[in-house]
Amino acid sequence: MYLYDKQEDVDYLYSRLDTRWNSDSVIKKNMHRCKIKKLLKFLKPGKTLLDVCRGGSVDGILGVMAAKKGLKVTICSVKQEYLDVIKRFANEHNIEVYDYVVCEPENLCFSDESFDYVSCIHVLEHVNDLQKCFSEIHRVTKGKALI
């Protein structure tokens, strides 16, 4: 198995995100963009959002686009490299995200009822303890969860 150094890993993961978000396939590109657009309709500017990610695919894009809409967004993921990928995406689109935090979906490092909204997309199939993940999302939200 070939191990990437950190920058190569970030570059590789970013290319995966970019080939989905900016896909040459009109269907694939529109599928991701329409999903994000529909979810954004539920989120109100001025509110707080925690976007719980795992890395890969298009994780974190909802959080970035919510920040563009005017929400105070925190994005969390299991590895710093995954956060570096979404930071790069945000920077390339001139969008400022409030905070990036490394933590596990089953052990969120935030106080109870910290966020108006919590999103958790393309994550559940990767967690070891689904019930614990649901419990943590419920614990940190004071409003709605998008799962």
Side-chain angles (χ1 to χ4, degrees):
M1 180 170 106
Y2 179 75
L3 296 177
Y4 297 98
D5 71 23
K6 183 176 179 184
Q7 188 55 50
E8 286 176 336
D9 196 24
V10 169
D11 290 346
Y12 167 73
L13 292 170
Y14 188 82
S15 72
R16 286 188 57 205
L17 179 148
D18 190 58
T19 58
R20 287 171 172 87
W21 188 249
N22 295 310
S23 178
D24 292 335
S25 164
V26 174
I27 292 171
K28 185 185 264 188
K29 180 166 85 173
N30 286 332
M31 178 184 68
H32 291 298
R33 290 175 182 227
C34 286
K35 174 179 52 182
I36 298 297
K37 186 177 179 181
K38 284 183 179 189
L39 291 172
L40 285 170
K41 290 179 182 181
F42 293 101
L43 307 176
K44 305 293 181 215
K47 299 287 187 174
T48 57
L49 168 71
L50 172 64
D51 193 1
V52 179
C53 305
R54 281 293 292 185
S57 191
V58 290
D59 287 6
I61 290 181
L62 177 63
V64 172
M65 294 304 163
K68 181 178 182 180
K69 185 175 176 173
L71 282 87
K72 184 178 178 182
V73 175
T74 298
I75 298 175
C76 70
S77 191
V78 295
K79 287 186 179 180
Q80 184 62 50
E81 289 87 345
Y82 299 154
L83 294 173
D84 291 344
V85 169
I86 202 61
K87 280 183 194 179
R88 181 171 163 184
F89 181 85
N91 289 338
E92 288 186 7
H93 291 84
N94 297 313
I95 300 169
E96 187 172 332
V97 172
Y98 173 73
D99 200 9
Y100 298 88
V101 177
V102 175
C103 66
E104 293 284 339
E106 300 103 316
N107 191 21
L108 298 173
C109 57
F110 306 101
S111 300
D112 295 356
E113 299 184 0
S114 296
F115 300 94
D116 296 306
Y117 309 109
V118 177
S119 62
C120 185
I121 303 168
H122 297 293
V123 173
L124 300 179
E125 65 270 27
H126 301 287
V127 299
N128 293 323
D129 187 339
L130 193 57
Q131 187 58 44
K132 179 68 172 152
C133 182
F134 283 139
S135 176
E136 283 294 277
I137 290 168
H138 183 264
R139 181 183 65 76
V140 301
T141 188
K142 57 184 167 185
K144 297 180 182 179
L146 303 171
I147 299 175

